[in-house]
Amino acid sequence: MKHNGTLIKEDNNYKKKSKTLYIESYGCQMNFSDSEIVASILKKKGITTTKDISTADLVFVNTCSIREKAEQTVRKRLEFYNSIKRDQNPKMIVGVLGCMAERLKAKFLEEEKLVDIVVGPDAYRDLPNLIKEVEDGKKAVNVILSLEETYAEINPVRLGGNGVTAFVSITRGCDNMCSFCVVPFTRGRERSRNPQIIIKECKKLFDNGYREVTLLGQNVDSYLWFGGKAKKEFKNANQYEKNNKIVFSKLLELVAQINPLLRVRFSTSNPQDMGIDVIDTISKYNNICNYIHLPVQSGSNRILKLMNRGYTKEKYINLIDNIKRKIPDCAISMDMIIGFCSETNNDHDETLSLMEYVKYDFGYMFKYSERPNTPAARLKDDISDQIKQERLSEIIDKQQMHSLGHMKDKIGKTFEVLIEGISKKSSTNYYGRTTHNSTVIFEKDHHKIGEYVMVKINDCTSATLKGKVI
Ligand code: 5AD
Ligand code: SF4
């Protein structure tokens, strides 16, 4: 109780000073979602967000470690903050949040003299205390990973959003241990968020005018909730199955049932965990978008094995065939890594042939980047940068051709589009997306952001559709 009393006193202190937070996010959607959780935790302490770095009391950067390049980007930002601190805002407190904080821990404080706070993805509730420590003249670190933390009841502050689309986090962490990936180390063990709270959050978003939610997790298909109990607490499998187990397809259905006008998306699926039940649920509900992001990483079985992906090319193709059979109009995208340890021309050809088979609608393609302490770091990163670059260019060209093909197929057809905002290029145009996640640009006319309109497509590039509301 006494402890609570102290906290309330701190509350008042924060309120009186009315501090401001400037927060930038890098990396995946989960990081952007986490920044909204951070903003919510600090808002309760009277700290509000600002877009003006030169006057902010707190400057936080939510970081990504997925590739070396992502880390370099953050280091450049830290240099920039340093210059602001030196020239304009000497009192600002700089915090490094997220995956890089988790990976480098206290080393950050030694390497980057300007950093005051280092906080990992599971320790955001501790931020008010960490800020206090810095104000008392110390440097503050909390990088403890948790087996339970899901920030379940925290209602995120929607940062810089359009008021129409929102991310809702459903799981945290990852247990898959792909050999190239730093995530299991930076985000810890996998855990699922209480479904009732997820539904409540989505309902509230809908009531506040939002028309699309994206359910987020490193591996959404392994979402699992059984009243907060561990599987081993059940005496037998039957009892466990009966105990109101909620799997991802069920959660997806519950969210889709909130309102037919609420679009539902999700990311990311893992081919080794995505079940036929998820595909069936997508095909059953009109408001679950016909778009699946299904990272494959390689088309070579030998490389998939080295990557510890838990599926073969044949199993992946079977999944794709099932998707195309059950949801004929489904857009599919992928992540691909080229130049993984020991990748031969032959392996690369297998990747090209898989791309040719699937003809993805979109693709996110990367050169392999060795991450310290991952299982793959024990293998030799033996593909030269030149070969990596050549292979990357080749798959990017192929993907662009496929993307353009899919876009061209849409010309002359009409699609339902959710209006998300005013086009960056022209203030007389809106942008929105089709169910397939294709961006469409069209004239505003009398329509409003957040409305659904039917748009007939008359032109395209490999990335954008253009059309007219009918
Ligand atoms: N090097 C290159 N790309 C990576 N990814 C994950 N780890 C690495 C790495 N070490 C890619 C994968 C993943 C996406 C989010 O980032 O394709 O799906
Ligand atoms: Fe980057 Fe992965 Fe962390 Fe997301 S989870 S921020 S992609 S390292």
Side-chain angles (χ1 to χ4, degrees), residues 201-212:
E201 186 175 322
C202 294
K203 271 191 184 139
K204 194 170 160 211
L205 284 165
F206 184 79
D207 291 342
N208 288 339
Y210 283 79
R211 289 295 173 263
E212 182 183 297

Side-chain angles (χ1 to χ4, degrees), residues 325-450:
R325 188 165 47 84
K326 293 194 175 231
I327 321 166
D329 184 33
C330 192
I332 302 172
S333 65
M334 53 79 169
D335 289 344
M336 196 76 87
I337 299 176
I338 57 81
F340 188 69
C341 314
S342 81
E343 186 187 68
T344 61
N345 279 334
N346 220 356
D347 296 318
H348 181 58
D349 286 344
E350 296 264 357
T351 294
L352 292 170
S353 95
L354 178 73
M355 288 176 71
E356 206 48 59
Y357 181 84
V358 182
K359 294 208 170 53
Y360 294 98
D361 292 72
F362 316 98
Y364 305 88
M365 294 152 280
F366 313 101
K367 284 194 247 180
Y368 171 60
S369 162
E370 184 179 293
R371 306 285 58 221
N373 302 322
T374 54
R378 281 185 244 127
L379 306 172
K380 209 161 163 223
D381 182 11
D382 53 358
I383 309 302
S384 72
D385 196 59
Q386 193 197 337
I387 293 182
K388 281 182 183 171
Q389 192 53 54
E390 280 167 18
R391 289 182 185 163
L392 184 66
S393 304
E394 200 176 354
I395 64 166
I396 288 177
D397 287 350
K398 191 180 253 323
Q399 184 50 49
Q400 255 187 333
M401 223 172 62
H402 290 162
S403 298
L404 185 62
H406 284 290
M407 295 302 232
K408 279 188 176 159
D409 281 349
K410 295 189 171 70
I411 293 178
K413 293 182 185 152
T414 301
F415 297 97
E416 186 181 62
V417 174
L418 172 60
I419 307 178
E420 291 179 30
I422 296 165
S423 158
K424 283 198 187 91
K425 285 196 186 142
S426 155
S427 61
T428 60
N429 285 346
Y430 277 139
Y431 74 90
R433 274 175 298 157
T434 66
T435 183
H436 319 102
N437 207 32
S438 303
T439 302
V440 190
I441 309 285
F442 50 94
E443 261 178 43
K444 273 168 143 176
D445 216 349
H446 60 278
H447 299 288
K448 296 207 168 57
I449 292 172

Side-chain angles (χ1 to χ4, degrees), residues 233-247:
E233 287 177 51
F234 294 91
K235 288 207 175 67
N236 59 50
N238 242 352
Q239 201 189 354
Y240 161 67
E241 293 297 327
K242 269 196 247 142
N243 204 64
N244 288 334
K245 183 174 82 159
I246 295 189
V247 295

